Amino acid sequence: MSVVAFERKRNQVLWSEAELDTIAAALNVSIASGDGRSWETGITEKGDAQLYLLGPLPDQACELCVSRIGGRYILDDGSGRLLFEHQSLALVALHAKAAMRSSWWGLVARVALLWCTIRHMIHDRLEPLLTESEEMLVHLAPQLAAFA
């Protein structure tokens, strides 16, 4: 999701200090990692508050977005997929923290699944062929020894 910076109306309070502290505390590890991530606030087309976790420069692609629509907080990823929705900002912040932390574990799970699939294919497909060829060698060895 791309973030377009528009000029903001003056004296417009989007987020309270308590809300910003809650979200910033959850995303603090990602922001403080030193890779150039930052966050920015914005508004939707209807005037609802949004907070974006931006990726490193130069692109600064949106990685997470927290929106407050009515009394509900909505968390989605940079592609616009809904990750979590609730009335409690603390729960949404916990899910945001987990979403930023889980990127490596998804890769580890995929690699483990791939490894198990390859082992299963070898066991099911190649092992019977090797067993049959060994039995055939046992039956043919005496005849082959006669030629030697």
Side-chain angles (χ1 to χ4, degrees), residues 84-147:
F84 189 69
E85 176 180 355
H86 202 271
Q87 291 177 344
S88 169
L89 181 60
L91 284 175
V92 173
L94 283 174
H95 280 80
K97 187 175 185 178
M100 293 309 300
R101 185 175 54 217
S102 69
S103 61
W104 285 104
W105 290 111
L107 178 64
V108 170
R110 287 185 190 114
V111 168
L113 182 64
L114 178 66
W115 174 251
C116 290
T117 303
I118 291 171
R119 287 193 61 199
H120 183 70
M121 283 178 41
I122 290 172
H123 184 268
D124 284 353
R125 305 274 166 97
L126 293 179
E127 193 171 308
L129 293 175
L130 294 175
T131 305
E132 290 173 8
S133 62
E134 183 179 316
E135 289 175 8
M136 189 179 290
L137 183 64
V138 168
H139 291 294
L140 293 177
Q143 286 82 11
L144 294 175
F147 291 116

